[in-house]
């Protein structure tokens, strides 16, 4: 087992929860069990975990209902640091074969939902989902039983989408991460799922949610935005101040384990044996679970086309396809097996001779040493997945090719294409002629090009390992939890202004600075208002109770008053023109001396080339959201939806943010703010915070001060919350 066995009290305890344990059990007697390593990339990669004290929690691949069996299996598994979740036959059938493998797996891989035409199918889907939730609770019970304070709980894959929520319900302080090993499809696909919202919400209960590629993460955020109406940010998904971090962690393999294995006598023996067996022929290798996502029929058809077009190669090449049996109780997998056998039979019938056939097909798995031997001897590895979360077979092949420097043909629909794309020949597996040409190109590739390509891939595979992947995930998870605590302190536990102290300090000080917001801070009534279905802009006005106090404060020579607002110059002129105060308009871009003219504070930010395209998006939503309106200022655009139907407008705002955010990724020239009932777009860096320094420098330059400022009070409207936020600070 790759799980480390020595106890080290200083190692971080990690509870890895996955449907499948790294070992599958076979019963040899009442209390006697044989444990075999489970197949599949999830297990392979997690076996490479180092530096943690790992405990696995999962299903041992077998139903055990009797007490003797459960006890003895628990004991055998404990030696491998594994803790079993006992699922009975019916649960396995409904949860694993049913909901996981017939509904979620095809949906996540763009194969769509089952399209059977009987009402009973809908009913059975519902009962499968109920069982899915029940099974997830069974996993949670086992986690809760073994959880110790300070443990990190790392949930894996689509089998356990419900688990983060159940765990957090049990203990809000538990640190929970969730990682998806498959693709996450476009939100257009995910939204077809009847349970779409429930699943997304449960996953979002985790502190961090991880994916193999940026595309998958983006699709997930977009599903949360579109389906749940939540806010997507570059950090993750936000729901009423709670952030679930969404990030990308491409998995790797324990490359050194494969490299070291090549020197083992067992592997060398295999290599010698295979070399004799395939002598005189180039070896093309396919290693896949016999799954529809792996594109095995497409691979065989492409090979057939290659033989058709290159008859000279018929006796000089062999395609060895290892098709590892998987999910054999699911009818779709049984049908796939027949289909694959049919194509293999036809191609071998067409191109075989009395002594040899071009396709060598095995419906079985291989042991690790045999697999390494094959990888090392292969000339061309052929991966034609129609969709694949990552595809570790391609990594393993590369790790074993230091001598041979063979060619990797890789589907562009495998996550691995995003990391091995430079060295591999990328193909669209649906394009049979293209794959056939790639086979021909690979077989004839000059050694110099092979070496170059191999070097690129080898470098990646040996540096982006499973260990690095796990380390990154766990450290990001730790950071996320600390940040969340900090955020909670800053957001909700902000101490309120001690008014008496503020007054006391005010009286004692003799050179004061007051920085005041305007809209929502000094204003009187809501503006605009709606009369007869029309939005009437009444203009902002100063609260009547504030006229006199403001006049008195601003005429005090020991007090400098600045109104710092998002409003335009003319609005501030009209309202505060008669007061002895500094005015800063459009979030501090423009500044006016109490008795002088307006000046521009940040000329370098005034490039407004983005306005046209952004305005287009804002107008689109304005037209489609009754009672919303667009405000254009000199340096910003604001879409205001305070009068629109709240739920719909919020939904529209999320959608708009998604468009703006995606645009922003391509052209980072604007900042986008989501206010209480508005979306505001400004040139990058135009914030009150950023302008305050320049404003203070200007004031200090203009005003003769005999003593340093010894009192500062900022009063403003806090974005993201509707209440007024006040803070004060005394300077000495
Ligand atoms: O447990 P099974 O139902 O027998 O299936 C085996 C595993 O298949 C999937 O593997 C995925 O994980 C790999 C590692 O991240 C990735 O490279 C590959 O693209 C995926 O298909 C599945 O996600 C696992 O849960 C299964 O254990
Ligand atoms: O006979 C075999 C053939 C393959 N594998 C392993 O199965 C994993 C397949 O992972 P991949 O990511 O390519 O796809 P998955 O099967 O997880 O979808 C790889 O680590 C292989 O080494 C295995 O255990 N036994």
């Amino acid at each position: 087992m790759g799980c480390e066995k020595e106890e080290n009290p200083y190692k971080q305890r990690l509870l890895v929860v996955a449907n499948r344990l790294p070992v599958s059990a076979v019963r040899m007697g009442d209390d006697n069990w044989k444990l075999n390593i489970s197949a599949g990339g999830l297990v392979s990669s997690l076996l490479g975990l180092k530096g943690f004290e790992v405990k696995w929690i999962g299903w041992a691949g077998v139903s055990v209902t009797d007490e003797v069996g459960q006890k003895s299996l628990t004991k055998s598994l404990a030696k491998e640091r594994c803790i079993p979740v006992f699922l009975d036959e019916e649960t396995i059938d409904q949860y694993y074969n049913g909901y996981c493998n017939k509904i979620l797996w095809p949906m996540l891989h763009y194969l769509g939902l089952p399209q059977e035409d009987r009402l009973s199918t809908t009913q059975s889907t519902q009962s499968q989902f109920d069982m899915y939730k029940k099974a997830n609770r069974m996993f949670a019970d086992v986690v809760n039983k073994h959880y110790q304070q300070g443990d990190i709980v790392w949930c894996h894959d689509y089998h356990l989408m419900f688990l983060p929520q159940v765990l957090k319900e049990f203990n809000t302080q538990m640190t929970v991460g969730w990682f998806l090993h498959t693709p996450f499809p476009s939100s257009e696909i995910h939204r077809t799922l009847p349970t779409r919202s429930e699943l997304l919400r449960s996953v979002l209960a985790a502190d961090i949610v991880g994916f193999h590629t940026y595309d998958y993460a983006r699709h997930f955020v977009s599903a949360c935005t579109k389906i749940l109406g939540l806010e997507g940010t570059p950090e993750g998904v936000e729901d009423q101040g709670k952030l679930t971090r969404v990030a990308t962690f491409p998995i790797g393999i324990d490359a050194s384990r494969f490299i070291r294995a090549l020197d083992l006598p067992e592997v060398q023996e295999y290599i010698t044996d295979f070399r004799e067996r395939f002598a005189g022929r180039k070896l093309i290798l396919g290693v896949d679970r016999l799954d529809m996502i792996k594109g095995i029929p497409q691979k065989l058809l492409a090979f057939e086309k290659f033989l058709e077009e290159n008859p000279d190669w018929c006796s000089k090449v062999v395609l060895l396809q290892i098709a590892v049996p998987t999910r054999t109780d699911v009818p779709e997998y049984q049908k796939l097996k027949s289909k694959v056998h049919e194509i293999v039979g036809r191609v071998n019938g067409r191109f075989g001779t009395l002594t040899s056939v071009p396709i060598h097909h095995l419906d079985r798995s291989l042991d690790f040493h045999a697999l390494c031997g094959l990888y090392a001897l292969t000339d061309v590895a052929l991966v034609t997945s129609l969709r694949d979360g990552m595809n570790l077979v391609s990594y393993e092949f590369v790790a074993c090719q230091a001598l041979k420097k063979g060619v990797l043909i890789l589907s562009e629909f495998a996550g691995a294409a995003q990391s091995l794309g430079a060295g591999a020949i990328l193909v669209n597996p649906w394009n049979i002629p293209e794959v056939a040409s790639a086979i021909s190109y690979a077989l004839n590739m000059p050694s110099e090009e092979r070496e170059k390509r191999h070097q690129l891939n080898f470098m990646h595979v040996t540096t982006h390992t499973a260990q690095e992947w796990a380390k990154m995930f766990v450290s990001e998870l730790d950071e996320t939890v600390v940040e969340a605590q900090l955020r909670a302190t800053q957001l909700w536990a902000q101490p309120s202004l001690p008014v008496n102290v503020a007054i006391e300090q005010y009286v004692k000080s003799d050179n004061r600075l007051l920085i005041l917001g305007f809209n929502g801070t000094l204003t009187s009534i809501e503006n605009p208002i709606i009369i007869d279905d029309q939005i009437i802009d009444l203009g902002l006005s100063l609260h009547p109770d504030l006229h006199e106090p403001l006049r008195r404060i601003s005429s005090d020579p020991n007090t400098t008053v600045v109104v710092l607002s998002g409003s335009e110059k003319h609005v501030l002129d009209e309202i505060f023109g008669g007061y002895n105060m500094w005015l800063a308009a459009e979030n501090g871009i423009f500044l006016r001396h109490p008795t002088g003219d307006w000046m521009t504070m940040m000329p370098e930010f005034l490039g407004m080339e983005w306005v046209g395209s952004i305005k287009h998006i804002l107008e689109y939503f304005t037209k489609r959201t009754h009672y919303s309106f667009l405000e254009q200022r000199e340096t910003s655009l604001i879409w205001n939806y305070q009068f629109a139907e709240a739920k719909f407008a919020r939904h529209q705002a999320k959608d708009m943010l998604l468009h703006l955010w995606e645009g922003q990724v391509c052209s980072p020239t604007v900042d986008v703010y989501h206010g209480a009932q508005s979306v505001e777009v400004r040139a990058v860096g135009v914030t009150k915070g950023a302008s305050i320094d320049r404003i203070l420098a200007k004031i200090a330059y203009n005003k003769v001060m005999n003593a340093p400022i010894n009192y500062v009070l900022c009063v403003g409207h806090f974005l993201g919350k509707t209440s007024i936020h006040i803070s004060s600070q005394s300077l000495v």
Side-chain angles (χ1 to χ4, degrees):
M1 268 318 66
C3 310
E4 289 165 63
K5 292 189 182 176
E6 76 280 12
E7 284 288 348
N8 177 345
Y10 304 109
K11 273 190 184 172
Q12 169 70 60
R13 266 176 53 107
L14 194 59
L15 300 187
V16 171
V17 197
N19 171 63
R20 194 172 279 288
L21 284 176
V23 283
S24 302
V26 181
R27 197 163 194 166
M28 310 302 283
D30 272 358
D31 59 355
N32 186 11
W33 294 91
K34 182 168 178 254
L35 302 180
N36 300 316
I37 297 218
S38 314
L42 182 149
V43 166
S44 307
S45 54
L46 285 166
L47 280 176
L49 277 188
K50 290 196 180 104
F52 302 96
E53 196 201 320
V54 181
K55 280 201 190 321
W56 285 76
I57 295 176
W59 172 56
V62 61
S63 155
V64 194
T65 44
D66 61 302
E67 205 178 316
V68 176
Q70 291 196 352
K71 270 198 177 149
S72 54
L73 181 56
T74 304
K75 212 166 143 200
S76 298
L77 288 171
K79 292 183 202 136
E80 305 297 345
R81 296 198 164 278
C82 293
I83 303 164
V85 177
F86 290 109
L87 304 173
D88 57 63
E89 291 283 1
E90 199 204 343
T91 309
I92 294 164
D93 192 48
Q94 302 256 340
Y95 144 78
Y96 177 67
N97 293 330
Y99 206 74
C100 291
N101 291 332
K102 280 185 78 161
I103 309 281
L104 290 180
W105 180 263
M107 188 276 297
L108 291 164
H109 291 89
Y110 290 81
L111 296 173
L113 296 175
Q115 298 192 18
E116 277 137 294
D117 51 6
R118 278 199 249 119
L119 194 57
S120 58
T121 311
T122 316
Q123 279 154 359
S124 69
T125 304
Q126 185 53 47
S127 68
Q128 285 171 1
F129 184 58
D130 292 342
M131 199 58 104
Y132 177 85
K133 290 197 282 188
K134 186 180 150 208
N136 273 241
R137 283 201 192 91
M138 291 164 82
F139 279 81
D141 288 344
V142 179
V143 175
N144 293 338
K145 200 168 142 205
H146 293 268
Y147 174 81
Q148 293 175 10
Q149 204 186 344
D151 284 357
I152 285 180
V153 184
W154 189 1
C155 313
H156 289 265
D157 239 355
Y158 58 99
H159 313 89
L160 301 177
M161 292 179 88
F162 203 55
L163 188 58
Q165 183 173 311
V166 188
L167 292 176
K168 288 284 189 177
E169 276 164 12
F170 171 76
N171 179 355
T172 48
Q173 300 307 309
M174 200 183 269
T175 300
V176 179
W178 182 80
F179 186 86
L180 183 67
H181 290 260
T182 70
F184 193 93
S186 148
S187 62
E188 288 305 304
I189 299 281
H190 181 81
R191 68 194 279 220
T192 57
L193 193 66
T195 53
R196 60 196 187 180
S197 306
E198 211 172 339
L199 287 177
L200 289 177
R201 283 210 178 275
S202 347
V203 165
L204 285 174
D207 298 293
I208 194 167
V209 173
F211 298 89
H212 282 311
T213 73
Y214 176 72
D215 287 338
Y216 306 161
R218 193 166 48 81
H219 290 155
F220 175 80
V221 172
S222 152
C224 295
T225 314
K226 290 190 172 166
I227 296 167
L228 301 179
L230 299 178
E231 188 175 343
T233 75
E235 292 296 299
V237 177
E238 214 172 300
D239 184 8
Q240 298 179 6
K242 192 232 171 220
L243 175 81
T244 306
R245 176 112 172 78
V246 178
T248 302
F249 305 92
I251 207 168
I253 58 165
D254 182 359
S256 59
R257 177 168 167 250
F258 285 85
I259 296 169
R260 279 196 318 267
L262 296 179
D263 292 331
L264 297 175
E266 303 91 305
V267 177
Q268 286 300 323
E269 253 174 58
Y270 275 119
I271 293 182
T272 313
D273 181 34
F274 295 146
R275 192 172 279 134
E276 273 170 26
R277 221 168 273 274
F278 301 115
R281 293 176 143 208
K282 292 271 185 191
L283 177 60
I284 301 180
L285 179 68
V287 179
D288 310 271
R289 280 180 305 102
L290 186 51
D291 195 306
M292 36 282 191
I293 67 151
K294 301 291 181 181
I296 298 173
Q298 285 76 0
K299 183 180 332 196
L300 298 173
L301 292 178
F303 186 61
E304 183 179 29
K305 177 113 185 105
F306 163 76
L307 293 177
E308 236 171 48
E309 288 173 354
N310 301 275
D312 292 353
W313 271 101
C314 283
S315 57
K316 294 189 286 188
V317 67
V318 60
L319 168 62
L320 172 57
Q321 178 62 48
I322 312 293
V324 182
T326 184
R327 309 172 192 174
T328 44
D329 293 331
V330 181
E332 280 71 15
Y333 287 77
Q334 295 160 0
K335 279 183 221 153
L336 176 68
K337 187 171 167 184
S338 313
K339 187 171 171 186
V340 165
H341 285 189
E342 185 192 312
I343 305 175
V344 170
R346 189 186 67 224
V347 177
N348 280 345
R350 275 185 77 188
F351 299 100
T353 65
L354 273 179
T355 50
S356 70
V357 284
I359 302 179
H360 201 88
H361 177 92
L362 297 183
D363 279 324
R364 52 163 293 189
S365 61
L366 295 183
D367 71 46
F368 177 66
H369 294 141
L371 199 58
C372 290
L374 270 182
Y375 282 146
L377 205 72
T378 292
D379 295 284
V380 178
L382 189 47
V383 177
T384 51
S385 310
L386 306 179
R387 295 278 166 184
D388 214 337
M390 180 55 84
N391 190 278
L392 295 182
V393 163
S394 48
Y395 275 58
E396 293 168 2
F397 163 72
V398 169
C400 294
Q401 282 280 314
L403 285 178
K404 187 111 195 189
K405 300 181 173 58
V407 185
L408 171 64
I409 300 179
L410 178 59
S411 162
E412 62 187 65
F413 297 110
Q418 295 194 8
S419 23
L420 304 181
I425 303 181
L426 292 186
V427 290
N428 171 2
W430 295 100
N431 187 342
I432 306 292
E434 186 197 2
V435 181
S437 311
I439 296 175
S440 165
Y441 187 73
L443 287 171
N444 293 299
M445 188 181 284
S447 61
E448 234 173 61
E449 185 179 347
R450 277 198 286 114
E451 270 174 44
K452 251 192 218 152
R453 285 176 178 268
H454 167 77
Q455 214 44 52
L456 287 171
N457 285 341
F458 192 76
M459 181 89 86
H460 184 90
V461 166
T462 47
T463 48
H464 296 78
T465 59
Q467 294 90 300
E468 283 301 309
W469 165 74
K471 226 163 65 190
M472 287 285 292
F473 187 91
V474 172
S475 82
E476 194 99 3
L477 176 54
D478 273 338
E479 243 170 61
T480 303
V481 171
V482 173
E483 270 167 25
Q485 283 159 355
L486 213 66
R487 235 171 107 85
T489 325
Q490 282 168 351
L491 276 179
W492 314 116
Q494 185 83 249
S496 45
L497 179 77
V499 177
N500 290 340
V501 178
I503 294 172
E504 213 176 281
Q505 294 289 331
Y506 186 96
V507 175
K508 274 196 215 157
S509 53
D510 56 4
N511 191 5
R512 310 177 193 98
L513 175 66
L514 302 194
I515 300 171
L516 309 175
F518 173 42
N519 195 1
T521 305
L522 304 175
T523 41
S524 61
I525 54 163
E526 292 272 10
N527 176 67
I529 57 168
I530 295 182
I531 300 175
D532 289 341
D533 216 29
Q534 292 295 311
I535 296 175
I536 312 285
D537 187 358
L538 295 177
L540 295 169
S541 60
L542 186 61
H543 196 289
D545 293 353
L546 293 174
H547 288 249
E548 186 50 20
L550 269 186
R551 195 193 55 72
R552 284 175 55 192
I553 291 175
S554 60
S555 52
D556 174 356
N558 292 333
T559 307
T560 305
V561 182
V562 183
V563 168
L564 173 51
S565 166
S567 298
E568 289 176 283
K569 293 180 285 191
H570 71 92
V571 177
L572 299 189
D573 269 339
E574 266 163 40
I575 294 177
F576 300 102
Y579 294 89
N580 178 32
M581 51 174 69
W582 290 78
L583 301 178
E586 303 221 9
N587 299 301
I589 289 232
F590 302 108
L591 181 69
R592 205 200 84 168
H593 182 277
T595 54
D597 283 331
W598 287 99
M599 50 199 149
T600 304
M601 298 298 289
M602 301 186 198
E604 71 270 32
F605 286 130
L606 291 180
M608 299 293 284
E609 62 292 339
W610 50 270
V611 169
S613 56
I614 299 282
K615 193 171 171 190
H616 195 69
I617 298 177
L618 267 55
E619 278 173 348
Y620 175 93
F621 283 92
T622 307
K623 281 188 197 139
R624 284 160 183 80
T625 315
H626 200 47
Y627 287 146
S628 74
F629 60 98
L630 178 62
E631 292 173 69
Q632 178 160 9
R633 297 181 181 165
E634 272 187 64
T635 57
S636 61
L637 286 173
I638 302 162
W639 181 62
N640 189 318
Y641 58 90
Q642 67 188 109
F643 297 108
E645 198 281 312
K647 195 167 168 227
F648 176 63
R650 264 202 310 274
H651 187 276
Q652 295 283 75
K654 310 291 175 196
D655 225 4
M656 174 191 279
L657 284 167
L658 198 73
H659 286 277
L660 293 172
W661 184 55
E662 277 177 4
Q664 208 186 342
V665 171
C666 311
S667 136
T669 49
V670 292
D671 276 335
V672 181
Y673 296 88
H674 193 188
Q677 288 155 322
S678 66
V679 173
E680 181 168 349
V681 186
R682 301 181 205 152
V684 152
V686 178
T687 66
K688 289 175 182 166
S691 57
I692 203 96
D693 262 3
R694 299 175 198 228
I695 292 173
L696 290 181
K698 239 345 171 219
I699 293 174
Y701 179 77
N702 275 268
K703 190 170 174 175
V704 183
M705 293 191 190
N706 298 324
I709 291 173
N710 53 10
Y711 184 94
V712 178
L713 177 69
C714 298
V715 186
H717 184 256
F718 181 57
L719 254 193
K721 267 176 119 185
T722 42
S723 57
I724 310 252
H725 171 79
I726 305 174
S727 69
S728 127
Q729 187 189 7
S730 281
L731 297 182
V732 184

